[in-house]
Amino acid sequence: MTLHRLAAALTLATLAAPVLAAQPLRISFTADIRSTEPGVNRDSNSDAVVPHIVEGLVAYGEDAEIRPLLAKSVDVSADGKTYTFKLRDGVPFHNGERLSSADVIWTWQHYMRPDSGWRCVSEFDGRGPAKVESVTAPDAQTVVFTLDKPNGLFLGTLARSDCGGTGILNKASVKADGSWDKPIGTGPFRLAEWKRGEYVSLTRFAEYANLGGKRDGYTGSKRPLVDEVRFVIVPDDSTAKTALLRGDIDVIEDLSYNDVPVLKKESAVKVAYAPVMSMTGVLMQTRDPLLSNLKLREAIAHAIDYAQLAAAVTEGLAEANNSVVPLASPYYGAVQKQGWKYDPALAQKLVAESGYRGQEISLMATKRYPQSYNAAVLVQAMLQAVGIKVKLETMEWATQLDRYNAGKYQMMTFPYSARLDAALNYEMLTGDKDKQPRKLWDNPKAIELVAQASQATDHAERQRLFDELHKHFMADVPSIPIYNGLDVGAFRNNVKGYTPWAVKKPRAWEVEKD
């Protein structure tokens, strides 16, 4: 056959062949979402889907710093109480209407209704760090938020995943009676179908107003490169792994550490991971008769081989970190790297100096979180090696959580979920135990420093405060951070551009599927 006749035959065959629609990018979820309304009746999976559809004025970047998204600039007044947002020009909603300051004000009023059910109402109505006293629009592209007092967490709270990123909505998102219909936002994908218990389907928004540049968390370039994203409900981990290997799903967005070595051996699959803002640590009740002794707490801190422990429970993926500030935080620096040195001889010396006489200490753990439980087993062995008698108590997660909230324990290993600002990381540990028994650190100076860090807006000043907090924390030893968690994802080889990141949420933009 001549080259000409071969080309003609191939052309005819191509024309005769059926047109195959591109398969969706399929990302597995272990459970269905609860709602499509940002920050309302939400859960972690709902929080993962929403940012694909709606966007806020600001958002978290790859390094967990706050950057503009629908705003092109943010100006903060000298007194820290007025925030002026200049909106990007010509940003389209999914229904073709263009974003203006009127949409921002309508959305804010929608969220702040007393019956809205929005998760973050209490952060802005006076019950939180500061009250939003007014939201005004001097012109179509400018919005001004006025607070009653400075609040260094204001922008970070607007960007929070559980707040739905305070996503700006078009009025058509609600029905004529004001009840919720579906999200009409400005994101790279629009909601196509929610088949409850099976999948959530999003389709590419061809007119998406991309910021450009490089991918940067929830900001930066967010091009929709596939026609459809489908979040598929696969409740069982083993079923999800089988589906991934078979090619029935493309991405497992939250892979367990134990599955990493297995899937790394599979030629059709890739595994990637990134540090996140969660924390696993050893909690100590400083009001306990034994653990109120600082020398004994110091002995415990020096008895743990942190590098070995972190490697053992995370399949060698995570680094040890003794700081309350996570490794992925922009406030993790030289001071935060200074942790407790593993020194069994020093630990034994401190045990002797503490007056400890071999009393049994209870260490609580739960198998609900395998890595946390495995950490407890190793901590028990390390403490017993320096002469501290430890009894491991295994309990249901609900029981352990009750004991944690009541402060009724001696020691426990505990997994904290991610906080995306260093002040919030410290706040989850620091406070008056008489008012909040779950708090670990009731040093008045520390409480004051956390309050200052929550109000401060200058990065350098906040860094100074976090450095000072770290030094006090190392000296007091109220608890022992061990390591930060990881966002681990597994995906098929034909998926390009999928990357885990600090917020531990899947991102389908900038992702291609061959």
Side-chain angles (χ1 to χ4, degrees):
M1 182 179 287
T2 66
L3 184 62
H4 176 76
R5 291 176 64 192
L6 177 60
L10 287 172
T11 301
L12 288 171
T14 301
L15 291 172
V19 177
L20 300 178
Q23 285 191 340
L25 176 69
R26 297 157 301 181
I27 301 173
S28 71
F29 273 172
T30 56
D32 202 353
I33 66 172
R34 296 180 62 178
S35 169
T36 62
E37 187 171 4
V40 178
N41 188 28
R42 36 75 51 198
D43 61 4
S44 180
N45 287 348
S46 306
D47 296 344
V49 171
V50 160
H52 292 79
I53 307 169
V54 301
E55 299 176 308
L57 296 171
V58 294
Y60 282 100
E62 206 80 17
D63 56 2
E65 285 275 35
I66 303 298
R67 296 190 177 90
L69 182 50
L70 290 180
K72 63 182 177 183
S73 67
V74 184
D75 180 69
V76 185
S77 63
D79 64 3
K81 295 194 292 186
T82 303
Y83 289 74
T84 301
F85 299 86
K86 290 288 185 180
L87 303 181
R88 291 162 53 199
D89 299 318
V91 175
F93 284 104
H94 296 157
N95 62 0
E97 295 184 12
R98 302 288 156 168
L99 172 72
S100 74
S101 56
D103 299 299
V104 179
I105 290 179
W106 179 87
T107 299
W108 184 258
Q109 293 171 345
H110 170 78
Y111 286 141
M112 294 300 291
R113 297 183 345 264
D115 62 344
S116 73
W118 188 43
R119 158 85 166 176
C120 296
V121 169
S122 62
E123 299 289 342
F124 303 109
D125 66 0
R127 288 176 284 174
K131 181 180 181 181
V132 175
E133 293 192 320
S134 66
V135 183
T136 57
D139 57 58
Q141 297 303 114
T142 306
V143 182
V144 179
F145 283 71
T146 303
L147 314 185
D148 64 344
K149 54 188 170 186
N151 176 15
L153 300 176
F154 175 65
L155 293 178
T157 304
L158 287 181
R160 271 169 39 185
S161 295
D162 61 331
C163 300
T166 317
I168 305 305
L169 301 163
N170 185 271
K171 291 180 182 179
S173 300
V174 301
K175 300 173 184 175
D177 63 0
S179 62
W180 182 251
D181 186 17
K182 63 181 180 181
I184 297 178
T186 61
F189 297 92
R190 63 175 96 203
L191 179 66
E193 181 184 17
W194 177 12
K195 195 165 185 179
R196 294 175 186 264
E198 295 187 31
Y199 60 81
V200 181
S201 172
L202 311 181
T203 52
R204 183 171 68 94
F205 180 37
E207 291 77 38
Y208 177 64
N210 192 35
L211 268 174
K214 64 180 182 179
R215 175 164 39 199
D216 187 12
Y218 280 140
T219 62
S221 186
K222 295 166 62 177
R223 295 174 299 163
L225 300 179
V226 294
D227 289 332
E228 181 187 0
V229 179
R230 188 170 291 188
F231 295 95
V232 184
I233 314 307
V234 187
D236 180 67
D237 285 346
S238 61
T239 303
K241 284 184 290 183
T242 301
L244 180 72
L245 294 173
R246 196 168 53 223
D248 292 336
I249 60 172
D250 303 301
V251 179
I252 296 177
E253 58 88 24
D254 189 13
L255 188 70
S256 73
Y257 301 146
N258 295 336
D259 289 328
V260 170
V262 177
L263 289 183
K264 274 189 171 181
K265 297 175 182 177
E266 298 289 342
S267 60
V269 172
K270 292 182 179 179
V271 177
Y273 49 88
V276 299
M277 304 291 206
S278 60
M279 180 186 82
T280 294
V282 178
L283 313 191
M284 295 183 287
Q285 178 50 268
T286 57
R287 291 188 175 182
D288 177 78
L290 280 177
L291 294 170
S292 61
N293 187 314
L294 176 59
K295 282 192 178 292
L296 184 58
R297 298 201 305 273
E298 289 176 332
I300 292 169
H302 288 290
I304 299 173
D305 186 336
Y306 299 101
Q308 181 191 46
L309 194 158
V313 302
T314 68
E315 301 292 337
L317 301 177
E319 296 179 43
N321 178 23
N322 286 153
S323 175
V324 176
V325 179
L327 291 170
S329 170
Y331 294 101
Y332 185 88
V335 173
Q336 285 68 32
K337 291 179 181 178
Q338 300 168 15
W340 295 287
K341 181 183 177 183
Y342 171 54
D343 190 336
L346 175 58
Q348 289 176 320
K349 179 175 179 291
L350 289 166
V351 168
E353 292 175 359
S354 73
Y356 172 73
R357 295 292 180 265
Q359 300 97 319
E360 187 174 77
I361 297 175
S362 166
L363 174 62
M364 297 179 184
T366 177
K367 292 185 177 180
R368 164 77 176 272
Y369 298 101
Q371 286 76 33
S372 180
Y373 175 79
N374 294 341
V377 173
L378 291 173
V379 167
Q380 179 192 32
M382 291 173 183
L383 296 188
Q384 291 185 159
V386 300
I388 301 173
K389 188 177 181 180
V390 176
K391 177 185 178 182
L392 184 60
E393 289 192 66
T394 306
M395 55 187 60
E396 294 296 323
W397 170 239
T399 304
Q400 181 176 347
L401 191 59
D402 287 343
R403 297 285 288 273
Y404 160 77
N405 285 321
K408 293 181 178 179
Y409 59 89
Q410 286 183 294
M411 295 174 63
M412 67 168 64
T413 52
F414 194 83
Y416 282 100
S417 57
R419 270 72 169 172
L420 298 181
D421 185 276
L424 296 176
N425 289 101
Y426 272 108
E427 188 277 334
M428 71 186 179
L429 308 178
T430 311
D432 186 342
K433 290 190 178 190
D434 291 327
K435 295 179 180 178
Q436 294 176 292
R438 64 182 172 83
K439 298 293 188 179
L440 310 179
W441 196 20
D442 54 0
N443 182 321
K445 179 62 176 177
I447 295 171
E448 177 188 342
L449 289 170
V450 172
Q452 291 176 23
S454 298
Q455 289 189 344
T457 57
D458 178 71
H459 184 96
E461 172 62 11
R462 301 190 88 214
Q463 186 69 67
R464 183 191 69 78
L465 292 167
F466 295 134
D467 290 352
E468 189 174 349
L469 275 163
H470 181 78
K471 293 172 184 176
H472 283 293
F473 191 86
M474 290 292 105
D476 284 358
V477 201
S479 70
I480 302 175
I482 302 172
Y483 67 92
N484 303 120
L486 294 166
D487 183 12
V488 185
F491 47 92
R492 301 279 302 175
N493 279 342
N494 64 332
V495 173
K496 312 297 181 186
Y498 184 83
T499 56
W501 69 304
V503 173
K504 202 174 184 179
K505 294 282 188 292
R507 296 171 294 177
W509 52 83
E510 296 294 330
V511 178
E512 298 177 89
K513 182 180 174 183
D514 292 343

